[in-house]
Amino acid sequence: QVHMVESGGGLVQAGGSLRLSCAASGRTFSSYALAWFCQAPGKEREFLAAIASISETTYYADSVKGRFTISRDNAKNTVYLQMNSLEPDDTAVYYCTARLYYVSRSEDKYNYWGQGTQVTVSS
């Protein structure tokens, strides 16, 4: 079982930056592929970024490529999402998630989810 807790959300002006953190429990954190998804009001949850367990190869949705960066610190059991050049359309609840070993862009492949953190970008 992996328990995940996001932090770092808030209100920011368009063009600004935020860094989300997600702290996870468990002693095998390095074995998990990690990802960030977001869900805007009235929309389905969508994939943003993922990082592999061993190679730490990263994957991004086209909508955030070049603006967002996912990283992990296995010593701290934490995954991060650095978000730059934020736009009002980025307003959503942001979730971190984990699954053993293999990255996926599909939310139904992930087993463990945080409670979400709200990000609001004002114009």
Side-chain angles (χ1 to χ4, degrees):
Q1 189 75 10
V2 177
H3 183 59
M4 308 184 76
V5 180
E6 302 97 338
S7 61
L11 175 64
V12 62
Q13 288 189 328
S17 298
L18 280 175
R19 189 176 82 153
L20 305 182
S21 300
C22 177
S25 64
R27 292 182 289 178
T28 58
F29 181 78
S30 60
S31 298
Y32 285 83
L34 306 164
W36 288 92
F37 286 72
C38 74
Q39 186 168 22
K43 294 186 177 180
E44 294 185 351
R45 193 150 52 183
E46 65 178 275
F47 170 80
L48 296 174
I51 185 165
S53 58
I54 303 300
S55 67
E56 299 194 10
T57 302
T58 56
Y59 305 83
Y60 295 95
D62 288 344
S63 60
V64 304
K65 199 173 295 183
R67 298 191 300 125
F68 291 9
T69 302
I70 188 171
S71 61
R72 63 190 297 163
D73 185 336
N74 290 336
K76 296 182 178 180
N77 279 18
T78 301
V79 59
Y80 303 98
L81 187 67
Q82 177 67 43
M83 306 186 295
N84 299 328
S85 302
L86 283 161
E87 304 165 353
D89 283 349
D90 294 319
T91 296
V93 178
Y94 284 69
Y95 299 90
C96 62
T97 185
R99 69 187 298 256
L100 273 175
Y101 305 129
Y102 303 114
V103 167
S104 175
R105 294 174 181 258
S106 300
E107 65 170 304
D108 59 357
K109 299 296 185 185
Y110 287 88
N111 308 106
Y112 306 105
W113 292 83
Q115 82 289 348
T117 186
Q118 176 70 46
V119 171
T120 303
V121 184
S122 63
S123 57

